[in-house]
Amino acid sequence: WRVAWRQELQGRASSRRLLTHRWTSSSGMAGVDAATKATVQKLPMLSVKAGPRDGDDWIKRMKEEYTALIAYQKVNKEAGNEWFTIESNKTGTRWSGKVWYVHDLLRYEFDLEFELPVTYPTVAPELALPELDGKTEKMYRGGKICLDSHFRPLWARNVPHFGIAHAMALGMGPWLAVEIPALVASGRLKHKDMGAA
């Protein structure tokens, strides 16, 4: 079993080198800042291509998802940058939690929710912040954040290696960093201590 385990690790290392090449190429991560790239490179890449209807393979995929999420939380904690909590239902198809963003020394906190599509991981999850529904043009009905132009093509090139942790790092994090300051500046979002959101 040790030989098989070592071969699997070597295979993953080879896969990581290939994916690292994608990160450093000019077309692979266009529009993603260096700090986000560095963070994502610290996350484990997933290998099981299984969706919610795939039985035992789905359980293996969920183990990889949780491993990546734990690694991401560890990276964030080490950097002093914890910004979300997340948990799933028993089947791993419905996720919820909290995300927050600190702007002008004020913490803006929102409920996070999403369901994994049946075609996951081929199709990225649609992350939603229902409290912000209708407050920005970069959002769809139900509070689903808009990630089409940059994130979806990146996700498509990295199936099945990307998971929920990658969606949070490359989707939700950058979206919050751009949209929350813009919403506050435009007056569409007020801190809970300063009036209604």
Side-chain angles (χ1 to χ4, degrees), residues 27-32 138 146-158 162 170-171 174:
S27 63
M29 292 290 284
V32 177
K138 294 183 180 169
C146 177
L147 298 172
D148 287 344
S149 62
H150 300 290
F151 179 71
R152 296 223 189 274
L154 181 61
W155 182 280
R157 285 192 305 270
N158 287 285
F162 278 6
L170 293 165

Side-chain angles (χ1 to χ4, degrees), residues 84-193:
F84 72 92
T85 60
I86 191 169
E87 63 184 12
S88 74
N89 64 0
K90 280 186 171 184
T91 60
T93 56
R94 188 174 191 87
W95 294 74
S96 61
K98 297 272 186 193
V99 298
W100 55 89
Y101 185 81
V102 177
H103 177 67
D104 289 338
L105 302 177
L106 297 172
R107 178 174 158 155
Y108 294 85
E109 186 172 306
F110 310 99
D111 291 328
L112 166 69
E113 62 183 45
F114 60 94
E115 288 186 37
L116 295 181
V118 174
T119 54
Y120 183 84
T122 304
V123 175
E126 293 182 328
L127 308 174
L129 304 174
E131 298 164 70
L132 296 179
D133 189 17
K135 293 191 182 285
T136 174
E137 296 79 26
K138 294 183 180 169
M139 184 170 273
Y140 299 115
R141 185 174 297 165
K144 294 177 181 173
I145 66 173
C146 177
L147 298 172
D148 287 344
S149 62
H150 300 290
F151 179 71
R152 296 223 189 274
L154 181 61
W155 182 280
R157 285 192 305 270
N158 287 285
V159 170
H161 306 294
F162 278 6
I164 295 165
H166 301 86
M168 294 298 287
L170 293 165
M172 182 60 75
W175 190 91
L176 288 170
V178 169
E179 289 302 310
I180 299 307
L183 287 170
V184 171
S186 69
R188 294 185 197 175
L189 180 65
K190 298 196 183 312
H191 192 268
K192 64 183 175 186
D193 294 341

Side-chain angles (χ1 to χ4, degrees), residues 14-32:
S14 174
S15 176
R16 182 173 289 277
R17 281 192 297 273
L18 176 64
L19 289 168
T20 300
H21 173 69
R22 285 187 184 170
W23 293 115
T24 57
S25 70
S26 60
S27 63
M29 292 290 284
V32 177

